[in-house]
Amino acid sequence: MPREIAKSYSHQEVESKWYGRWDEAGHFSPASPGAPSFSMVIPPPNVTGSLHMGHALNNTLQDVLCRFRRMDGHNVLWVPGTDHAGIATQNVVERQLAAEGLDRADLGRQAFIEKVWSWREETGHTILRQLRALGVSCDWTRERFTMDEGLSRAVREAFVRLWEEGLLYRAERLINWCPRCKTALADIEVVHEEVDGHLWHVRYPLAGEGEVVVATTRPETMLGDTGVAVHPEDERHAGNIGRRARLPIVDREIPVVADTFVDPEFGTGAVKITPGHDFNDFEIGLRNGLEVINIFDDDAAVRPEAFADENGGGPAWVGRYGGQDRLAARERVVRELEEQGLLAEVQPYRHAVGKCYRCQTVIEPYLTPQWFVKIKPLADPAMEAVREGRTRIVPETWKNSYFAWMENIKDWCVSRQIWWGHQIPAWYCAGCNDALDTDGARIASGCAPVVGRTAPDRCDRCGGTRFVQDPDVLDTWFSSALWPFSTLGWPDRTTDLQAFYPTAALVTGFDILFFWVARMMMMGLKFMDEVPFRDVYIHALVRDQEGQKMSKSKGNVIDPLIMVNRYGADPFRFTLVAMAAMGRDVKLAEDRIGGYQHFVNKLWNASRFVLMHLDDEVLRARPEGLPAREDLDLADRWILSRLGATIEKARESIDGYRFNDFAHHLYQFTWHEFCDWYIEMSKLRLNGGGAGSRAAQETLHTVLRSILLLLHPLMPFVTEELWGEVTARDPASSRNHDVMVQRYPRAGDFPSDRDAEDKVEFLSGVIRAVRNLRTEMNVPPSRRVRVLLFDTEERLSLVRAYESMVCTLARTEPLEYLAQGVRPQKVATAIVDTTEVYVPLDGAVDLAEESSRLHRALGKLETELERVRKKLGNANFTAKARAEVVEREREKAQEMEEKIEALNRSLGRIQELQAQ
């Protein structure tokens, strides 16, 4: 007897049921050891994070790939995990301490680290639990953390090997310093932001007579000036080169030097040189032998000891500045320059300011000892691997960005002055290093490190046994750079490492192409002598419907968990994939998710219809092939051929990372070909009994099964629920019957039938033509219309053979055929290929009333279109409104123009009929 399912789909019940079952059954773990491997590592989210739209898009795309490859016969491993996120996590815990009136110094390093671990155990797994709501099929038995025991060992091993090969060094260099986080930052961790500031023109008196006017955006750093620079070919300053200037306030003589880096067009063409607090000045200072003075402490406050004489004293002016924050010092410097008549001019000036990517504090170029990786020997092989195609970057446009960054790369500062992270495996002998702080809080640049996998027992030079470990920790991205192979067990040669490295693909956002992807390439090639992934697919951002970046301050954030709860994971996933066009940002609106919820409901209702019309014998059959061809109707042959073509297109799309095309092809086939056409065609035979009914049932069953298989990577929950019904599976049956472990369809399963496709395309064209004429003439749906067809007898014979289908689907009276003779009058006309379709409208439509209705609708649209055109013609609107708003108005105008064109066509038909 027919099998019935619930009238409506409840995602809450289904999702909780199936995810647990899949996990318990071990479906997320590799299960086909003899098959080709397909592996991916999840871009590890920060332990501080919670699920946002970027995570949702990224992990949905990864899951689509994994589910597809698993069904396509691959041995799939998708490794999940989280990143310890050094600065971010430390900030979170420090804020908690501050709420208790404490800071980390009150606890001490060890107690603070224990508190962070405790926090991580309590809340650090939140985002991975949230990912389960999306249906992601990671192998949770292999979950990793960048500070777990195995990965910590890998980090130490990598550090030591780099040191042993001369690719690591410790030196005093000018680095980016965050006074808030009190740590060094790599160049790519600095966010550059345009701000409105000032350009101060300051008079520096020259020894003897005259002056040179310098321009600066940072007058406070003049306290550390050790030179003035001009361009050697700038005639305005040619006479000053080699002279000495007297530094205002400080009253110290500094040289005027020539350097080609100076831009004669900037300010006055003369610039102050502060090697201790500007990267360009540092290089100029090196070339010209200028002194480097570090005037700030790690809080970016003026450091009195920078100006102390050998007796510990200092000039009187130091007392006015010592301990002042850099901005307070700026105000005082400007005020004193004004008082001394040395401030020549102040101009408004817009310029870029570097800020900490974590806390947005303005960074300070700061001279301090740090650890660096020599990056060029690692970058060159990583570029060559991409050029040779061993790793493919998709879309290819990102290759240029990758090369541009790698070709201009600087040594990587990998040390951070925080407590949470991988403490650098370097120790200093207290007996050999007089400059060593007893508490190890700061290690002077002259101290010689002992680098090793474990702490040393005895000093090789002095025999001492007291060592202090370097207090710095490694940049979080150092451990992340090892992620593709450390998660698989490196440095041990594990079974997983041999089976799944290199990984097949990496799916990531463009914002971490340099932070992470490039560094994984370098480290993978260095330690594994192989690229870490064959493909890198770079997706765009998820923005709001107007193209704006989502942010809490704008109030335009869409919470993925709310969307999943409201609409279900399947429509949410499908929306993200359908909109993930290569190289284009996703402009997400909630109503799009609601629209794809209708698609889920359409699939459910179509399945319900099919199940209600299948005999038990057909339902329980396990067809390996197609229904017998001799029993197939034209419609059966057509839908099976279209199924094969859809499978081919879908496979081509996902192989090329064209995720939106993958979703589009399956959506179009399921909704428009299977539901809209084939199911309607099949109804004529389902109730007729006999071989025709059996063939229709078998075809419905075969195609629906295939649709569920095809859609599973996109919509795992509803397809799994329906699979059990469509295959008449016992709920207690083997887990091997679950849809997620079934074979993904192949195009060859359903051979092409061009003859059937051509014939059904023609017949459906006739049906559409009649439907369009009915719509244009506003014929009530309940009324059957006369239809006359004019063509050769050979052409009309096809329509005669399937007249009942045409009449039923087009809502017509029995068709009339005109193989010759005069065309009829008072008819609406359409042409399909060579066939002329006539619909007589006498008595079916009141032409005068219909003409009046169309004119009213046309007038209303034309008025609205004129209003929109005026807005678009307003220069103020197009110049000041956001580009997305302007584009929306243009789209609105285009839609109205298309509607007006359609209404004019209908009016034209009315006028033709009235004239007949």
Side-chain angles (χ1 to χ4, degrees), residues 66 220 441 509 547:
C66 282
E220 69 278 11

Side-chain angles (χ1 to χ4, degrees), residues 705-722:
R705 284 168 58 104
S706 299
I707 286 173
L708 297 179
L709 292 167
L710 289 167
L711 284 172
H712 179 75
L714 292 161
M715 304 194 304
F717 293 108
V718 69
T719 52
E720 190 71 83
E721 181 72 6
L722 288 171

Side-chain angles (χ1 to χ4, degrees), residues 494-556:
T494 63
T495 302
D496 275 358
L497 193 64
Q498 295 178 70
F500 296 110
Y501 189 91
T503 62
L506 175 76
V507 178
T508 187
F510 66 84
D511 52 332
I512 53 175
L513 177 61
F514 312 126
F515 277 102
W516 190 43
V517 178
R519 287 164 173 172
M520 284 190 289
M521 286 290 291
M522 291 187 275
M523 294 300 188
L525 287 162
K526 178 62 188 171
F527 296 116
M528 295 296 297
D529 198 29
E530 178 59 282
V531 295
F533 16 74
R534 297 301 182 197
D535 290 341
V536 178
Y537 175 73
I538 299 175
H539 60 75
L541 294 176
V542 182
R543 299 181 179 272
D544 71 9
Q545 61 185 329
E546 294 182 358
Q548 295 291 304
K549 190 173 181 178
M550 292 186 185
S551 69
K552 292 179 180 178
S553 61
K554 292 178 182 176
N556 64 346

